[in-house]
Amino acid sequence: MASTADTKERLRLAAFDVVRTKGLSAASARAIGTAAGVNQALIFYHFGTVNELIEAASNEAVERSVARYAEGFSQVTSLAELLEVGMRVHDEERRRGHVAVMAQLMAGGQHDPVLARASKHAVGLWTAQVRSVLDRVVAPTPAGELLDSADLASAISAGFIGIELLHGVDGASADHAFASLDRLNALLTTVNGFGPTLRAALRVAARRLGTRAARLTRPTPSRK
Amino acid sequence: MASTADTKERLRLAAFDVVRTKGLSAASARAIGTAAGVNQALIFYHFGTVNELIEAASNEAVERSVARYAEGFSQVTSLAELLEVGMRVHDEERRRGHVAVMAQLMAGGQHDPVLARASKHAVGLWTAQVRSVLDRVVAPTPAGELLDSADLASAISAGFIGIELLHGVDGASADHAFASLDRLNALLTTVNGFGPTLRAALRVAARRLGTRAARLTRPTPSRK
DNA sequence: GTCTATATTTGGATAGAC
DNA sequence: GTCTATCCAAATATAGAC
């Protein structure tokens, strides 16, 4: 009592699982079909190509994940709480292998348009979620004057992906990187405890340096 | 007038080039052999397996790269200068496709021990280079009291990899992430302009938050 | 919708001539 | 050391029976 039109669902789940446990390069039609307990030919019948199946699998997974934590994020009221919730979410998503899958898709997406689209969608959903919290919670605070929510949200996404890859290759080094994020966050939270004169001094100094840094960045716009 | 024992060298360069331009999944023995202008069988004769060739190619490239910028890093005397040199190096290495190759290898290294070893070596060399500058230049300053050089160096490496992947999938988003790094650096540099009382207050506050953040981190040690 | 069978291509790897 | 020829495994994708 199983095989109806949820064969597609089983294929999506199996595809996600194979990418998660064995990596993108091992996610062949045969491997996924076997994992799903159905014939590999059904992948092409239902999804067209293997990568389109993987895209569907990723989309489904990321949409569920973001929804899963949406309430938790909505209850955040400070930068410190955002740190706390964000780290809990990241930790849980890491354990579930979801970050690993995203990293695999992003690497594959560098040279495959379908995987690129899937990656952009996944990263975009997480970034939007984080950004909305930043806008609501951090923007009105002193630290918010020094940061741009879109910038920071993208940086957080990129950082998590980078740390995930580092982790799979050199776990100790990834732990170091993670510890560093804590410190920077602590610094930001500390800024929120500053008085008005101090804030003004910070803002001026940061602005001076910010424009200079921006000038250095410009040589590499998003050429693609 | 060419083919002597530098066939190995041509294979290494070709392997690097194929990974750079077409990605790891397209780096087959045949593709690399063709790019090198030699027969694919020579890959197995000289290097054993394709991945071992790719490892040799990566090792050679990263060693040359680090040496290439070593003098520039050695002349850095401040955090602001480190930002400047670091961004110039990153920009140049990105244009040369070296960051892209590292990202490909790290993704592949998640499930392949040879590629994992190559990735660890590459990331390790860059991290060590950055760390040595941090130790020399930043550690004695007020910002240095808030940061750990090993932590920050790993975070920088991870961040660059993450941004690279993000760039290939959503260029605009990657630009946002990069801008954010500038701002954080500006903030750190600003801290270096603080007077002694201010520094002390910062240090105490950061330490308080740091230990709390560390407690949150601990649940995910470098399991592998 | 699902399966079996198969056409076709591509990839890793080796044997053996030169 | 290098090449040709080749074996074998695995991959995508399709045709056609059920």
Side-chain angles (χ1 to χ4, degrees), chain A residues 19-25 80-81 83-84 87 91 94-95 100 103-111 115-117 119-120 123-124 127 145-148 150-159 161-191 194 198 201-202 205-206 209-210 212-217 219-224, chain B residues 19-25 80-81 83-84 87 91 94-95 100 103-111 115-117 119-120 123-124 127 145-148 150-159 161-191 194 198 201-202 205-206 209-210 212-217 219-224:
Chain A
V19 174
R20 180 176 66 83
T21 56
K22 300 183 186 162
L24 190 62
S25 67
E81 274 178 43
L83 166 64
E84 203 157 339
M87 279 176 41
D91 189 58
R94 273 215 66 231
R95 285 183 205 276
Q104 289 290 302
L105 297 202
M106 285 180 76
Q110 304 294 307
H111 297 96
L115 296 181
R117 192 174 54 197
S119 305
K120 182 173 177 175
V123 136
T127 303
E145 297 177 48
L146 300 175
L147 300 169
D148 177 87
D151 290 354
L152 184 57
S154 290
I156 289 172
S157 298
I161 295 296
I163 289 178
E164 174 68 17
L165 285 179
L166 190 55
H167 192 102
V169 143
D170 183 355
S173 197
D175 288 345
H176 279 293
F178 207 87
S180 188
L181 293 188
D182 285 350
R183 301 229 195 182
L184 285 172
N185 201 306
L187 184 62
L188 282 180
T189 308
T190 302
V191 168
F194 282 1
L198 202 42
L202 245 187
L209 276 156
R212 184 168 145 284
R215 205 178 57 241
L216 279 166
T217 315
T220 315
S222 69
R223 66 201 155 82
K224 169 59 184 300
Chain B
V19 174
R20 180 175 66 82
T21 56
K22 300 183 186 162
L24 191 62
S25 66
E81 275 179 41
L83 166 64
E84 202 158 340
M87 279 175 43
D91 188 57
R94 273 216 64 231
R95 287 183 204 277
Q104 290 290 303
L105 297 202
M106 285 179 76
Q110 304 295 307
H111 297 96
L115 296 181
R117 192 174 54 198
S119 306
K120 183 173 176 174
V123 132
T127 303
E145 297 178 46
L146 301 175
L147 299 168
D148 178 87
D151 290 355
L152 184 55
S154 291
I156 290 172
S157 298
I161 294 296
I163 288 178
E164 173 69 16
L165 285 178
L166 190 54
H167 191 101
V169 143
D170 183 355
S173 198
D175 288 345
H176 280 294
F178 208 86
S180 189
L181 292 188
D182 284 350
R183 302 230 193 182
L184 285 173
N185 201 307
L187 185 61
L188 283 179
T189 308
T190 302
V191 168
F194 283 180
L198 203 41
L202 245 185
L209 277 155
R212 185 168 144 285
R215 204 177 58 243
L216 280 165
T217 316
T220 316
S222 69
R223 65 199 156 83
K224 170 58 187 300

Side-chain angles (χ1 to χ4, degrees), chain B:
Chain B
M1 64 203 11
S3 39
T4 41
D6 65 351
T7 290
K8 290 184 77 172
E9 173 67 359
R10 290 174 61 190
L11 278 172
R12 277 190 295 262
L13 294 177
F16 190 88
D17 221 52
V18 172
V19 174
R20 180 175 66 82
T21 56
K22 300 183 186 162
L24 191 62
S25 66
S28 66
R30 285 173 155 83
I32 295 170
T34 301
V38 303
N39 193 278
Q40 54 99 10
L42 289 182
I43 290 172
F44 305 99
Y45 174 78
H46 284 298
F47 297 95
T49 67
V50 173
N51 279 351
E52 283 170 309
L53 162 57
I54 292 175
E55 179 187 22
S58 167
N59 287 350
E60 184 191 33
V62 73
E63 280 153 20
R64 284 188 185 169
S65 279
V66 170
R68 176 192 179 106
Y69 304 106
E71 167 147 10
F73 278 116
S74 76
Q75 289 172 348
V76 165
T77 62
S78 71
L79 187 58
E81 275 179 41
L82 177 56
L83 166 64
E84 202 158 340
V85 171
M87 279 175 43
R88 207 196 65 226
V89 168
H90 175 246
D91 188 57
E92 199 168 326
E93 285 295 283
R94 273 216 64 231
R95 287 183 204 277
R96 299 172 75 207
H98 287 214
V99 189
V101 170
M102 235 168 84
Q104 290 290 303
L105 297 202
M106 285 179 76
Q110 304 295 307
H111 297 96
D112 178 292
V114 174
L115 296 181
R117 192 174 54 198
S119 306
K120 183 173 176 174
H121 183 244
V123 132
L125 281 189
W126 280 113
T127 303
Q129 170 69 279
V130 170
R131 185 184 176 180
S132 81
V133 178
L134 287 173
D135 276 335
R136 180 168 54 81
V137 170
V138 182
T141 70
E145 297 178 46
L146 301 175
L147 299 168
D148 178 87
S149 69
D151 290 355
L152 184 55
S154 291
I156 290 172
S157 298
F160 280 170
I161 294 296
I163 288 178
E164 173 69 16
L165 285 178
L166 190 54
H167 191 101
V169 143
D170 183 355
S173 198
D175 288 345
H176 280 294
F178 208 86
S180 189
L181 292 188
D182 284 350
R183 302 230 193 182
L184 285 173
N185 201 307
L187 185 61
L188 283 179
T189 308
T190 302
V191 168
N192 277 343
F194 283 180
T197 31
L198 203 41
R199 292 179 196 173
L202 245 185
R203 197 159 53 239
V204 169
R207 190 128 48 204
R208 187 167 15 93
L209 277 155
T211 54
R212 185 168 144 285
R215 204 177 58 243
L216 280 165
T217 316
R218 206 135 318 139
T220 316
S222 69
R223 65 199 156 83
K224 170 58 187 300

